[in-house]
């Protein structure tokens, strides 16, 4: 039983299910409102390249105890793999490259084994809930269960037969490299050490994951290993080498061995402090129950009613995946690793966050947090400013105190501007504004790290030429894509500047946001690469998806992870201007429809995920959006391991699903406007934090028959105002009641 078609069924006795099956689904969430975790299936996205993990984690938790079945894969787990290699204690959810997966814990029969191919085991009877995971380790003949606190992992092994069971902690490996580290057996029931991690997408980022392992009983023998040499020594320290510790036990059938692991990115002392503070006096069952309670509390911010059980599963699993990153990396005493190896920082009034996949998350995830979890988004923004204090720059793709410089554009600006303009103001706004503006002051290709690579050419030409010097240190990946990102970034900053009363600066940024027009080719009606001499790059294949870089999936020449069709409507800040370039509403709409008809729209990558909503901004073509959204929600998302259409990208695609299922979408950051789609549920109530917003909730309702041929007759705000396919953030947080009224074609 590796992953249930209906996750809910495994949580109910048959008699309970029979009763519930007789009750209309409209009432399902009311009946289970206190246990929304029952709808979450952590296995969704663990196949088909979703790169999620099924292990135990709390909302925004530092620690995730998750199985490794595919070492070297981004999350360490691919559904359908044959072998279990141990539990890692930190993981990335939905990313395209591997990292983390440090401190690997497993159990074997007999003596310790240092090679993963020797200590791997076949497995069965897999199951998972939010905050809990279990699996039967066949070769080790024991049941393994895991749960978590925010900073600690608790793993319990139950022997299925008597004999020798050896617990192993691999401190030298993680999912991206064999970095080595240190391990010391402190006592017959305790070990401590650290693992050297890093190497995300081949980059030079590095971190240390410190740990303290504590057992519930003394071992009869213990020791360490280095490379292939297993011994009885208590301490080993090595770089770029496999190292670990082992503890041996004689167990009777049914006896349990429990391992508690505290993690810190600061020190062993802090790992021990986290372990003591978060686990002392609490049983495995108590910690598991607390984790589930934490998930129910956060999932309960959105209450949906009136759809199928599968839709509930898809929705709450998407919300679950949206609340994993960015995640906490500060310890219980407030200490955290400062960026760029600047030592240790301390903040006790809030948590410090990491894992900023901003090129992905600025589009959907951060707007979701801003709307529904503003207190978290505020702490995240302040963490971004902590990074700015340490390095002089806001993060681009930051990971455990290191900047990887992955992806393109300058996505921190839209995140901060959007949050500020929507009402999150409890951060140093002046510092935030200076920070988002700083990269725009770059005027040479050597003046700063590649926060805005090629920006000097962007200012000189009004675009980034395709005939760049690719031997330079910071050549531009995808000149067209990068230039379009800079246009949106500058527009978002212009809105923040205007709000702050900096009119001249606002005008300057808004002027630069229009540079995208220089890349529009009226003949092909596409945004395409241009040379320094002003000529178009030829030959030009609008559907090419390779050639922008040397690696597979890099994107067509001029584009990042996409082609000309994926980017030619990427001007969300100026759709009216884009429509004029196409020659009017009809020409723009027909060309956009062609993007969908010829299979060039992709929901599994970020640049064009907002395209279905562009129709709502094209007069006379607004009705095209709803059927596109309905088809995507139905056909591209599912309840099985392949239930995501591709990489979840730290919750970005899941957050797209959440917005689309609710019936509105944040098409353009810093605009304060949501475009209207069509709700999946009869009613949704979204709770609001009154520290930030005036109302306690707003609601979205669907009236009429939501059949496949249904159309939107009208959309109403508070029963009095008819909406024109968009609604403001202000209206929502003032307690809106939005009603979609359906009809038939």
């Amino acid at each position: 039983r590796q992953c249930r078609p209906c996750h809910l069924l495994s949580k109910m006795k048959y008699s309970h299910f029979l009763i519930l099956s007789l009750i209309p689904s409209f009432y399902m969430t009311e009946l289970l409102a206190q246990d929304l975790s029952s709808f979450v299936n952590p296995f969704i996205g663990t196949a088909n390249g979703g790169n999620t993990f099924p292990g135990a984690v709390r909302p925004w938790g530092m620690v995730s105890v998750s199985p490794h079945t595919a070492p070297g894969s981004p999350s360490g787990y691919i559904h359908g793999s044959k072998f279990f290699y141990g539990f890692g204690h930190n993981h990335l959810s939905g990313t395209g490259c591997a990292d983390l997966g440090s401190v690997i814990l497993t159990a074997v029969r007999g003596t310790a084994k240092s090679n993963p191919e020797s200590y791997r085991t076949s497995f069965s009877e897999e199951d998972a809930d939010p905050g809990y995971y279990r699996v039967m380790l066949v070769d080790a003949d024991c049941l393994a269960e895991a749960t978590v606190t925010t900073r600690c992992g608790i793993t319990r092994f139950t022997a299925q037969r008597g004999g020798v069971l050896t617990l192993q902690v691999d401190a030298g490996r993680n999912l991206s490299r064999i970095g080595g580290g240190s391990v010391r057996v402190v006592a017959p029931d305790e070990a401590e050490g650290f693992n050297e991690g890093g190497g995300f997408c081949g980059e030079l980022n590095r971190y240390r994951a410190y740990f303290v392992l504590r057992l519930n009983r003394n071992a009869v023998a213990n020791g360490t290993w280095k490379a292939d040499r297993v011994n009885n020594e208590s301490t080993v320290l090595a770089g770029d080498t496999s190292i670990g510790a082992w503890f041996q036990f004689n167990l009777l059938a049914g006896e349990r061995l429990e391992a508690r692991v505290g993690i810190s990115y600061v020190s062993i002392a802090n790992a021990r402090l986290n372990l003591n503070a978060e686990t002392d006096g609490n049983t495995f069952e108590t910690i598991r129950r607390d984790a589930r309670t934490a998930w129910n509390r956060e999932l309960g911010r959105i209450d949906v009613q009136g759809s199928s059980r599968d839709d509930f599963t898809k929705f709450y699993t998407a919300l679950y995946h949206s609340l994993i990153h960015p995640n906490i990396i500060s310890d219980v005493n407030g200490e955290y690793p400062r960026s760029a190896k600047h030592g240790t920082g301390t903040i006790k009034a809030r948590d410090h966050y990491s894992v900023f996949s901003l090129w992905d998350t600025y589009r959907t995830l951060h707007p979701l947090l801003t709307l529904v979890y503003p207190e978290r988004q505020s702490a995240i923004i302040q963490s971004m400013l902590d990074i700015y204090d340490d390095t002089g720059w806001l993060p681009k793709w930051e990971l455990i105190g290191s900047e990887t410089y992955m992806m393109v554009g300058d996505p921190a600006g839209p995140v901060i501007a959007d949050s500020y303009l929507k009402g999150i103001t409890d951060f140093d706004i002046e510092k935030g504004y200076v920070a988002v503006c700083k990269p725009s002051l770059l005027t040479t290709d050597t003046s700063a790290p590649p926060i805005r690579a090629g920006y000097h050419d962007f200012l000189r030409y009004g675009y980034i030429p395709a005939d760049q010097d690719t031997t330079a240190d910071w050549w531009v990946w995808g000149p067209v894509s990068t230039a379009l990102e800079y246009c949106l970034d500058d527009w978002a900053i212009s809105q923040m500047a205007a709000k702050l009363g900096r009119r001249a600066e606002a005008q300057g940024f808004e002027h630069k946001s229009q540079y995208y027009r220089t890349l529009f080719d009226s003949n092909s009606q596409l945004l395409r690469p241009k040379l320094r001499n002003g000529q178009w790059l030829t030959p030009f294949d609008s559907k090419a998806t390779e050639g922008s870089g040397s690696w597979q999936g890099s994107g067509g020449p001029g584009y990042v992870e996409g082609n000309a069709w994926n980017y030619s409507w990427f001007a969300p800040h100026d759709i009216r201007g884009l429509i004029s370039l196409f020659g009017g509403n009809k020409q723009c709409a027909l060309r956009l429809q062609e993007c969908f008809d010829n299979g060039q729209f992709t929901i599994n990558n970020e640049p064009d995920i907002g395209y279905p909503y562009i129709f709502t901004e094209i007069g006379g073509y607004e009705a095209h959006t709803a059927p596109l959204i309905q088809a995507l929600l139905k056909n591209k998302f599912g309840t099985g391991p392949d239930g995501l259409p591709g990489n979840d990208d730290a919750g970005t695609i899941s957050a797209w699903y959440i917005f689309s299922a609710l019936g509105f979408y944040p098409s353009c950051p810093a605009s304060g406007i949501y475009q209207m789609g069509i709700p999946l549920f009869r009613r949704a109530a979204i709770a609001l934090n009154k520290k930030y917003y005036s109302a306690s909730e707003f609601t979205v309702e669907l009236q009429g028959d939501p059949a496949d041929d249904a159309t939107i007759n009208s959309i109403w705000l508070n029963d009095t105002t008819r909406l024109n396919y968009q609604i403001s953030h202000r209206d929502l947080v003032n307690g809106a009641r939005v009603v979609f009224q359906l009809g038939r074609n």
Side-chain angles (χ1 to χ4, degrees):
R1 192 164 62 101
Q2 296 207 346
C3 183
R4 288 79 58 232
C6 180
H7 189 60
L8 181 62
L9 300 187
S10 67
K11 307 304 164 196
M12 299 180 179
K13 293 182 179 179
Y14 177 76
S15 59
H16 291 166
F17 172 68
L18 182 62
I19 293 171
L20 290 175
S21 67
L22 301 176
I23 301 175
S25 61
F26 182 90
Y27 300 102
M28 285 296 295
T29 51
E30 291 186 358
L31 291 173
L32 295 175
Q34 301 306 310
D35 194 18
L36 295 176
S37 292
S38 296
F39 292 109
V40 175
N41 181 355
F43 290 98
I44 290 177
T46 58
N48 194 38
N51 294 343
T52 61
F53 61 81
V57 65
R58 287 203 185 196
W60 303 287
M62 176 194 293
V63 166
S64 50
V65 184
S66 191
H68 293 179
T69 66
S73 66
S75 72
Y77 183 96
I78 297 177
H79 181 79
S81 299
K82 294 177 61 176
F83 297 108
F84 171 91
Y85 290 85
F87 291 107
H89 282 75
N90 53 9
H91 298 86
L92 295 174
S93 179
T95 58
C97 294
D99 207 336
L100 305 185
S102 295
V103 191
I104 302 169
L105 190 68
T106 193
V108 300
R109 285 288 171 173
T111 59
K113 301 169 179 64
S114 62
N115 189 316
E117 297 305 313
S118 298
Y119 66 64
R120 73 184 188 183
T121 173
S122 54
F123 62 97
S124 64
E125 301 182 37
E126 229 181 341
D127 197 10
D129 291 303
Y132 174 76
Y133 173 89
R134 60 169 279 167
V135 65
M136 185 67 70
L137 305 182
V138 175
D139 299 338
D141 206 8
C142 68
L143 173 68
E145 301 170 274
T147 189
V148 286
T149 66
T150 297
R151 300 169 179 86
C152 305
I154 300 88
T155 307
R156 184 167 67 184
F157 300 91
T158 304
Q160 302 301 290
R161 61 176 171 86
V164 175
L165 191 71
T166 299
L167 185 77
Q168 301 189 170
V169 55
D170 190 330
R173 288 182 172 84
N174 48 64
L175 293 175
S176 54
R177 60 195 295 261
I178 302 177
S182 172
V183 63
R184 183 170 75 96
V185 177
V186 178
D189 64 345
E190 188 170 310
E192 64 184 25
F194 64 84
N195 171 246
E196 295 276 5
F200 181 72
C201 290
E203 298 296 326
L204 298 178
N205 65 297
R206 295 290 185 267
Y207 68 88
R208 281 187 175 182
Y210 297 92
F211 70 92
V212 171
L213 165 72
R214 186 173 298 153
L215 306 171
N216 67 333
R217 61 177 66 204
N218 288 338
V220 297
N222 56 64
T224 59
W225 77 77
K226 178 179 178 181
D228 294 329
R229 182 172 174 266
V230 178
N231 55 61
N232 298 103
E233 297 174 4
S234 62
T235 302
V236 60
L237 172 66
D240 302 324
T241 303
S242 172
I243 63 170
W246 57 272
F247 297 83
Q248 195 171 89
F249 304 86
N250 290 317
L251 298 180
L252 300 175
E255 282 194 306
R256 287 173 170 171
L257 172 63
E258 187 174 286
R260 300 188 172 201
V261 178
I263 297 291
S264 169
Y265 295 107
V266 172
S267 66
I268 290 174
N270 275 16
R272 183 170 282 106
L273 185 66
N274 291 340
L275 184 62
N276 293 339
E278 293 190 348
T279 70
D280 278 3
N282 294 318
T283 65
F284 184 97
E285 287 76 13
T286 298
I287 293 169
R288 178 187 177 185
R289 184 173 61 249
D290 288 348
R292 192 177 187 91
T293 298
W295 276 112
N296 280 326
R297 181 171 57 249
E298 303 302 344
L299 296 173
R301 301 261 189 123
I302 304 179
D303 176 35
V304 294
Q305 301 174 10
S307 193
S308 69
R309 186 175 292 107
D310 280 354
D311 286 340
F312 290 135
T313 294
K314 288 190 285 186
F315 183 86
Y316 283 109
T317 303
L319 188 55
Y320 167 86
H321 282 142
S322 300
L323 306 184
I324 294 176
H325 297 309
N327 56 267
I328 295 165
I329 63 165
S330 51
D331 297 322
V332 292
N333 61 2
E335 293 184 350
Y336 66 93
R338 293 177 60 193
S339 294
K341 299 181 180 179
H342 285 175
T344 301
T346 304
I347 298 175
K348 296 188 177 181
R350 58 175 168 83
D351 293 315
H352 181 82
Y353 289 76
S354 181
V355 187
F356 289 100
S357 178
L358 295 178
W359 182 82
D360 307 290
T361 57
Y362 84 80
R363 306 164 200 265
T364 59
L365 179 67
H366 288 287
L368 177 64
L369 297 179
T370 296
L371 179 63
V372 188
Y373 306 89
E375 71 287 350
R376 294 283 179 174
Q377 180 68 1
S378 174
I380 286 167
I381 290 173
Q382 292 177 72
S383 297
M384 293 169 68
L385 293 177
D386 294 339
I387 295 169
Y388 172 76
D389 288 338
D390 289 342
T391 67
W393 306 97
L394 289 166
K396 187 171 186 175
W397 213 125
E398 180 271 354
L399 181 56
I400 317 297
S402 292
E403 180 56 65
T404 70
Y405 298 115
M406 287 302 300
M407 305 312 296
V408 299
D410 183 14
V415 171
I416 291 177
D418 185 62
S419 299
Y420 167 66
L421 290 164
K422 287 177 176 174
I424 297 179
T425 58
D426 53 346
F427 64 95
D428 189 332
I429 297 168
E430 182 63 25
K431 180 191 291 185
Y433 179 70
V434 171
V436 300
C437 290
K438 185 176 178 180
S440 69
L441 304 177
L442 308 180
T443 57
T444 71
D445 60 353
T446 60
S447 59
I451 301 298
R452 288 204 181 196
Y455 194 67
H456 60 294
D457 280 341
F458 178 80
L459 297 177
R460 178 180 178 183
Y461 296 97
Y463 58 93
I464 301 175
D467 50 341
Q468 59 180 312
D469 180 6
T470 56
T471 66
D473 287 341
W474 300 113
W475 60 279
V476 177
W477 175 18
V480 175
S481 302
T482 302
L484 296 178
E485 294 283 355
Y486 291 158
C487 289
L488 176 59
D489 301 338
D490 284 346
W491 187 85
I493 296 171
S494 78
Q495 303 306 294
M496 187 174 185
K499 179 72 172 179
L500 292 171
R502 301 172 184 259
R503 294 184 179 179
E505 294 170 31
Q507 291 172 356
F509 281 112
E510 186 161 12
H511 174 74
K512 289 183 290 184
S513 76
Q514 299 297 304
Y515 285 1
Y516 79 92
R517 295 167 177 254
T518 65
L519 295 171
F520 186 82
D521 174 18
S522 58
N523 291 323
S524 67
Q525 289 195 311
L526 295 168
L527 295 167
R528 57 179 291 190
K530 184 178 283 190
L531 305 174
R532 293 178 187 274
N533 63 10
Q535 300 298 309
W536 299 114
L537 174 69
T538 56
F540 174 60
D541 179 357
S542 65
K543 297 181 181 180
T545 57
E546 303 293 341
S548 195
S550 59
W551 60 97
Q552 186 176 4
S554 62
Y559 306 95
V560 172
E561 296 185 354
N563 61 28
W565 289 90
N566 303 143
Y567 277 95
S568 288
W569 287 266
F570 188 72
H573 59 289
D574 189 30
I575 295 299
R576 298 309 310 166
L578 191 65
I579 290 172
S580 69
L581 290 177
F582 277 98
N585 286 347
K586 181 178 180 179
Q587 293 86 340
C588 182
L590 291 177
R591 191 65 164 158
L592 180 58
Q593 187 62 50
E594 186 179 352
C595 178
F596 289 91
D597 293 343
N598 67 17
Q600 295 307 303
F601 169 78
T602 59
I603 188 56
N604 62 350
N605 203 20
E606 279 66 25
D608 59 352
I609 57 176
Y611 283 11
Y613 293 93
I614 293 178
F615 286 109
T616 65
E617 301 185 68
I618 305 175
Y621 295 88
E622 298 91 345
H624 286 224
T625 291
L628 289 171
I629 296 301
Q630 287 176 315
L632 288 167
L633 294 178
K634 179 180 179 180
N635 300 325
K636 296 298 183 179
F637 296 84
T639 60
D642 61 350
L644 288 175
N647 288 0
D648 199 33
D649 286 320
T652 300
I653 302 303
S654 287
W656 183 95
Y657 185 93
I658 294 298
F659 274 117
S660 295
L662 291 175
F664 59 97
Y665 184 80
S667 293
C668 181
S671 69
I673 297 295
Y674 302 91
Q675 299 304 127
M676 312 302 286
I678 183 169
L680 180 63
F681 300 95
R682 285 291 186 178
R683 185 178 188 274
I686 296 87
L688 296 170
N689 185 333
K690 295 202 71 175
K691 176 182 175 182
Y692 296 88
Y693 304 129
S694 59
S696 59
E697 72 169 17
F698 68 91
T699 60
V700 181
E701 299 175 25
L702 185 65
Q703 296 180 356
D705 181 10
D708 290 340
D709 61 346
T711 60
I712 298 173
N713 280 351
S714 59
I715 308 172
W716 293 87
L717 170 63
N718 300 332
D719 297 324
T720 59
T721 303
R722 184 163 175 158
L723 298 174
N724 186 26
Y725 291 94
Q726 62 179 218
I727 189 170
S728 72
H729 178 80
R730 178 178 297 178
D731 282 335
L732 289 183
V733 300
N734 281 341
R737 177 176 178 252
V738 181
V739 178
F740 288 74
Q741 295 181 337
L742 300 182
R744 289 290 187 89
N745 284 328

